[in-house]
């Protein structure tokens, strides 16, 4: 944003936050307001060395192996990035599908249309879905549509429990509610 829009670091950070709040992702704001190509943005922001930030998670792999449910990744990122993250965690075999921001036609969480679209793509009703998220704002539209919701990594405040049907401290605890 600094380079392409000729902004200071502070101005770029302020605009990033504003677009994130208004559109669900910074990318969508840049796409709409500055005609930034989404593929260019996705390639740039996902050009990271995942092994420096994520390590294999044997505990999560073991937990997922016990769950017979169909598991789908629903991400505001690209499919390629999601595949790399799943592989780095060592859990890719547990997911039957990745629904990425392209599948959403760049309308992403928490925009209500994204949740309706994922149900259409999966040919399921919202009531058949359980959305597991670490971002509270992404749960509200899912719950309003009829999905069950799980917030990961929270203390479980009153406002969180209004939006989340379940709150678990770590993703490795997902089996406790299923």
């Amino acid at each position: 944003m600094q380079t392409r829009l000729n902004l200071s670091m502070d101005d770029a950070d302020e605009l990033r936050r504003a677009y994130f709040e208004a559109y669900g992702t910074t990318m969508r704001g840049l796409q709409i307001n500055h005609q930034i190509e989404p593929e260019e943005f996705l390639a740039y922001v996902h050009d990271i060395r995942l092994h420096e930030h994520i390590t294999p998670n044997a505990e999560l792999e073991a937990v997922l192996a016990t769950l017979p449910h169909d598991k789908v990744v629903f991400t505001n990122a690209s499919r390629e990035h999601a595949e790399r993250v799943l592989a780095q965690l060592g859990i890719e075999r547990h997911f039957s599908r990745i629904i990425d921001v392209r599948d959403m036609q760049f309308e992403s969480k928490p925009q209500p249309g994204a949740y309706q679209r994922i149900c259409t793509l999966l040919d399921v009703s919202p009531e058949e879905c359980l959305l597991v998220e670490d971002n509270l704002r992404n749960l509200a539209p899912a719950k309003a549509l009829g999905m069950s919701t799980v917030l990961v990594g929270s203390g479980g405040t009153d406002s969180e429990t209004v939006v989340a049907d379940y709150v678990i401290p770590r993703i490795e605890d997902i089996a406790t509610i299923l």
Side-chain angles (χ1 to χ4, degrees), residues 165-178:
D165 296 306
Y166 306 95
V167 178
I168 55 176
R170 309 172 319 127
I171 189 58
E172 295 85 356
D173 298 323
I174 191 64
T176 63
I177 61 167
L178 295 172

Side-chain angles (χ1 to χ4, degrees), residues 42-90:
L42 291 169
Y44 181 81
V45 300
H46 294 142
D47 184 20
I48 56 176
R49 296 178 175 149
L50 290 178
H51 67 278
E52 295 177 4
H53 307 281
I54 301 172
T55 58
N57 189 331
E59 182 183 0
L60 180 57
E61 200 286 325
V63 168
L64 292 173
T66 68
L67 302 176
H69 311 83
D70 189 31
K71 293 171 270 315
V72 175
V73 173
F74 175 27
T75 180
N76 286 349
S78 69
R79 173 174 287 102
E80 297 83 3
H81 180 68
E83 288 170 345
R84 289 179 54 222
V85 169
L86 293 174
Q88 184 63 33
L89 289 168

Side-chain angles (χ1 to χ4, degrees), residues 19 22-38 105-107 111:
Y19 286 167
Y23 299 104
T25 65
T26 303
M27 179 186 69
R28 188 67 170 152
L30 290 169
Q31 182 185 19
I32 290 170
N33 296 299
H34 305 280
Q35 294 69 55
I36 301 292
E37 288 297 321
Q105 299 173 343
F106 301 103
E107 179 181 42
Q111 303 302 318

